[in-house]
Amino acid sequence: MSDEFLFRNATTRDTDEVYEICLKTGDAGEDATAIFQHPELLGHIYAGPYLRFPDRFALVIEDNEGIAGYLLAVPDSRQFETWAEQNWWPELRRHYPSTNELTREAALIRQIHHPNIASERFVGEYPAHMHIDLLPRVQGKGLGRRLMRMLALDLESKNVAGLHLGVSAQNTRASQFYRRLGFQLLEATEFGEILGLKFPATI
């Protein structure tokens, strides 16, 4: 397989492939395909709205097998939350009624009805947030850092003060990656940690 990669802007035409990557990396970086009866749920929460939000940063990596990774981000979490509440969640709520079942799938459905909201404790200093996922075949090649560098330059050009993201407690490899890029712990949560990066940043 060639090590030639194409970085390009993502569009809504990439939705199916981006959703598939979201699922195949959705278990703390591992394949979550066997976990969910509705495999599209992870994509609906962590990818779909970011491909449609007007002021988005959305890049994919392509190799000779197709899309192998993506980085999706928004410069203003509050604007994104307002937009999603009006334009993204209502239809999904009609399609996925809320449930009190104690399963990971039910937890995702509850997240559709009660989306995560950036904390007032850090959203002012770190208004942007992001999601990045790479398939195993393109990991360990420096591509994640290249995507992050592109994002940092874009956010700095928009005078964005900082960026935050969430990391699962089980995904220690991702946590170490972000810390190598200069991210700092903002908040420990029940599920992991929130990390933040101030701009300008050297990545």
Side-chain angles (χ1 to χ4, degrees):
M1 181 175 66
S2 171
D3 275 346
E4 294 183 2
F5 305 101
L6 171 67
F7 292 75
R8 65 167 175 81
N9 291 325
T11 73
T12 54
R13 293 189 299 274
D14 301 316
T15 297
D16 288 348
E17 288 178 275
V18 169
Y19 271 41
E20 183 177 5
I21 294 171
C22 191
L23 179 65
K24 288 186 174 179
T25 58
D27 185 19
E30 302 298 325
D31 193 343
T33 301
I35 296 174
F36 298 107
Q37 180 181 354
H38 297 286
E40 71 281 0
L41 278 172
L42 282 169
H44 283 334
I45 295 171
Y46 298 111
Y50 298 88
L51 290 171
R52 290 160 178 81
F53 182 59
D55 190 18
R56 65 189 176 275
F57 179 94
L59 286 180
V60 294
I61 301 173
E62 284 186 320
D63 63 8
N64 60 346
E65 296 183 42
I67 295 176
Y70 61 80
L71 192 159
L72 307 173
V74 296
D76 188 318
S77 294
R78 288 289 182 256
Q79 286 185 1
F80 172 79
E81 290 161 2
T82 299
W83 174 89
E85 188 60 39
Q86 296 172 350
N87 298 281
W88 186 252
W89 303 124
E91 179 60 31
L92 291 175
R93 287 168 183 160
R94 288 189 286 270
H95 191 73
Y96 301 97
S98 189
T99 172
N100 291 322
E101 294 178 6
L102 300 177
T103 65
R104 291 179 63 178
E105 185 157 292
L108 287 179
I109 293 173
R110 287 193 292 274
Q111 194 169 328
I112 288 172
H113 289 264
H114 306 283
N116 291 333
I117 302 298
S119 172
E120 288 291 345
R121 289 188 292 275
F122 55 75
V123 71
E125 291 186 87
Y126 304 88
H129 76 268
M130 55 156 280
H131 301 286
I132 182 172
D133 287 304
L134 304 178
L135 291 176
R137 71 175 189 262
V138 295
Q139 294 176 8
K141 300 177 183 294
L143 302 178
R145 181 180 286 269
R146 286 178 62 184
L147 283 172
M148 292 296 300
R149 187 178 300 121
M150 293 176 192
L151 173 62
L153 291 172
D154 180 80
L155 294 178
E156 287 173 16
S157 74
K158 297 175 179 176
N159 296 314
V160 175
L163 165 73
H164 73 271
L165 53 86
V167 186
S168 165
Q170 287 76 42
N171 200 345
T172 55
R173 183 171 59 180
S175 180
Q176 292 167 1
F177 167 73
Y178 295 127
R179 281 178 162 80
R180 288 196 298 270
L181 297 182
F183 281 79
Q184 303 292 322
L185 178 67
L186 301 181
E187 182 176 291
T189 73
E190 177 184 356
F191 305 102
E193 54 192 13
I194 306 296
L195 303 178
L197 181 70
K198 281 286 190 71
F199 297 123
T202 302
I203 294 179

